[in-house]
Amino acid sequence: MKLKLFNKIKHGIVRRWERWQSNPPINRIDRYIARKFIGTYIFSILLIIAIVIVFDFNEKIDKLTTANKEFGISWGRIFTDYYLNTIPYFANLFSSLFVFISVIFFTSKLADRSEIIAMRSNGMSFRRILRPYIISALLIGLLNLALGSYVIPHSNKVRTDFENQYIKKRQITVVDNVQLQVDTGVIAFFSSFNIKTKSGTGFCLDKFKNKKLVSHLTALRIQYDTIAENRYQWRIINYNIRELRGMHEIISSGRELDTIITVEPQDLLYTRNQQETMTTPEISEYIDKQKMRGSANVSTFEVEYHQRFASAFAALILTIIGVSLSCEKRKGGMGLSLGLGLALSFGYILFQTISASFATSGGWPPMLAVWIPNIIFSVIAFMLFRRTPK
């Protein structure tokens, strides 16, 4: 019985191996299409980044020269800290557009040289021709997601810090009159806080229970403990505590007090486009903390969070649209396909920007607003796929 079962499994494996050898999932044509697709995409991205850097350098050359003389910043550091960290940002920004353009461009050339006709005449269906495109689009989408979630936020932080310090010269290190909810029924207030030294003055901490004040703490200074194991460790200096218990009041004071307050120095400062300098896990944690604190101003961060996943998925949708538009041989060449492709790609980017603004200022659910362009263009991709001659 065991021998029969073993032989049956063995014959099944042999048959599958022979079938795989006769019809492998990825053959030479697949590798050819994938190489052309990814190669055209990389070349297009590098070309547009080079153009952007040249124009940006031409625009900022006076300020960069001033930074070089005034702050002693070498041109090598300008290149590594600013321009080298600009490349991932623009590569991710233009990725969806150039995925579409790359597909339209080289697929139109395949159709113009009758290579797609040759594939179909050899029995390859349109769905089978799509396989290397989809695999390549998934690889590009996953790469963009990984870069956008972990690499680009760090690059953006280095780039914006350099820009604020040496080009715009408006680096913010001190914030005044900051009030926020750090826990349920716990309100913290900082009269002034220095981000660099991680210390503040004029600190108050109020605790409420059933909307009634039960504790009021005031301190002359407060210092964030950077070497403590707990990330929320603070040291309060010259403090007074008033505990309200019905008609009674207990007052205590002291020189120093180590305590846990669920807030970090970076939570006290909001800068423009701050969400672009945070990794995806950091954005998710920030959103959860702000919602716990009762803050309603997290739509910008939610849009950025969902947009990173939506942009990665867009590569697949735009690839299917691009192949469906350009796989037929036309008398006018690739001009019509390329023009229609550009119109659709710019329409997608415009629609994406408008829908995101509805989430930040119009009160739309961020996830719905971000994914609406993908949903609509998925329908367009399905319709074009169905109308493509089989």
Side-chain angles (χ1 to χ4, degrees):
M1 187 71 180
K2 291 182 179 179
L3 183 61
K4 287 183 178 179
L5 180 62
F6 174 78
N7 289 331
K8 187 176 181 180
I9 295 172
K10 179 182 176 181
H11 288 310
I13 293 173
V14 170
R15 282 198 303 270
R16 290 190 178 185
W17 172 253
E18 291 175 350
R19 193 182 307 139
W20 184 87
Q21 283 186 318
S22 61
N23 186 24
I26 299 177
N27 55 30
R28 183 178 295 180
I29 294 176
D30 295 329
R31 291 194 294 271
Y32 171 73
I33 292 175
R35 187 171 64 250
K36 288 286 186 181
F37 182 6
I38 296 175
T40 307
Y41 167 76
I42 293 174
F43 176 78
S44 303
I45 286 288
L46 292 177
L47 183 62
I48 193 64
I49 288 174
I51 294 172
V52 168
I53 288 177
V54 168
F55 276 95
D56 185 79
F57 181 77
N58 185 60
E59 181 184 354
K60 294 187 173 71
I61 187 169
D62 293 337
K63 295 179 180 179
L64 293 174
T65 304
T66 303
N68 174 257
K69 294 179 180 178
E70 185 176 345
F71 298 100
I73 306 299
S74 65
W75 289 104
R77 186 182 169 191
I78 290 173
F79 175 77
T80 55
D81 285 6
Y82 185 66
Y83 284 110
L84 205 60
N85 288 295
T86 301
I87 292 174
Y89 172 76
F90 283 111
N92 190 63
L93 181 66
F94 294 120
S95 180
S96 299
L97 172 62
F98 281 95
V99 162
F100 201 24
I101 292 175
S102 300
V103 170
I104 292 283
F105 180 75
F106 92 87
T107 307
S108 296
K109 290 183 70 175
L110 292 181
D112 191 52
R113 294 197 297 257
S114 301
E115 292 182 56
I116 292 182
I117 295 175
M119 295 177 198
R120 291 191 175 187
S121 64
N122 285 326
M124 288 185 70
S125 65
F126 179 66
R127 185 175 298 179
R128 178 62 183 83
I129 293 173
L130 266 179
R131 183 188 294 177
Y133 287 95
I134 291 175
I135 293 174
S136 302
L138 288 174
L139 289 175
I140 292 173
L142 290 173
L143 178 63
N144 288 338
L145 180 60
L147 290 174
S149 296
Y150 299 99
V151 178
I152 294 174
H154 174 71
S155 299
N156 286 342
K157 188 175 187 308
V158 176
R159 176 178 58 83
T160 52
D161 287 346
F162 182 91
E163 194 173 22
N164 289 333
Q165 185 173 358
Y166 300 114
I167 299 176
K168 296 180 180 179
K169 299 178 182 178
R170 60 177 187 185
Q171 193 174 27
I172 300 173
T173 57
V174 178
V175 291
D176 297 319
N177 301 323
V178 180
Q179 179 174 302
L180 71 163
Q181 181 174 316
V182 297
D183 203 348
T184 305
V186 181
I187 308 295
F189 174 80
F190 297 82
S191 178
S192 178
F193 192 86
N194 190 302
I195 304 298
K196 279 191 173 182
T197 61
K198 294 179 173 48
S199 63
T201 58
F203 176 72
C204 296
L205 189 70
D206 294 329
K207 296 182 180 179
F208 294 86
K209 189 174 183 180
N210 297 326
K211 298 183 180 180
K212 291 184 178 180
L213 182 66
V214 296
S215 175
H216 176 69
L217 180 148
T218 59
L220 184 64
R221 287 183 60 241
I222 183 169
Q223 177 71 49
Y224 182 70
D225 195 342
T226 56
I227 61 174
E229 293 184 2
N230 193 304
R231 58 189 294 191
Y232 299 123
Q233 186 76 39
W234 293 82
R235 176 167 296 173
I236 299 173
I237 302 167
N238 291 336
Y239 65 91
N240 290 285
I241 302 176
R242 294 173 55 201
E243 296 183 18
L244 306 176
R245 299 179 181 177
M247 300 299 294
H248 301 282
E249 182 177 320
I250 300 174
I251 300 176
S252 59
S253 60
R255 178 70 179 170
E256 289 186 358
L257 175 66
D258 290 330
T259 186
I260 302 294
I261 304 173
T262 53
V263 64
E264 295 179 276
Q266 57 264 31
D267 297 334
L268 305 177
L269 175 65
Y270 173 77
T271 57
R272 187 181 179 185
N273 299 327
Q274 180 180 342
Q275 70 278 2
E276 296 179 358
T277 64
M278 302 169 70
T279 64
T280 300
E282 287 173 348
I283 291 180
S284 179
E285 183 183 2
Y286 180 86
I287 292 170
D288 292 339
K289 285 197 300 185
Q290 292 301 106
K291 286 184 175 180
M292 181 272 297
R293 293 167 181 167
S295 175
N297 189 25
V298 292
S299 57
T300 304
F301 293 85
E302 289 180 308
V303 166
E304 176 69 21
Y305 178 82
H306 293 296
Q307 208 162 37
R308 292 180 181 180
F309 295 94
S311 297
F313 187 72
L316 179 62
I317 299 170
L318 296 176
T319 296
I320 296 174
I321 294 175
V323 178
S324 302
L325 284 174
S326 56
C327 67
E328 298 179 49
K329 187 174 181 178
R330 292 183 172 87
K331 291 182 179 180
M334 70 176 69
L336 180 62
S337 299
L338 194 59
L340 186 58
L342 284 172
L344 280 172
S345 58
F346 280 116
Y348 174 82
I349 294 171
L350 180 63
F351 194 14
Q352 190 180 48
T353 304
I354 293 173
S355 63
S357 66
F358 284 152
T360 54
S361 57
W364 283 28
M367 186 175 181
L368 176 63
V370 168
W371 280 91
I372 275 181
N374 281 354
I375 295 170
I376 293 175
F377 275 75
S378 295
V379 175
I380 295 174
F382 179 74
M383 293 171 60
L384 290 173
F385 174 77
R386 291 294 300 271
R387 68 164 288 279
T388 303
K390 300 296 184 291

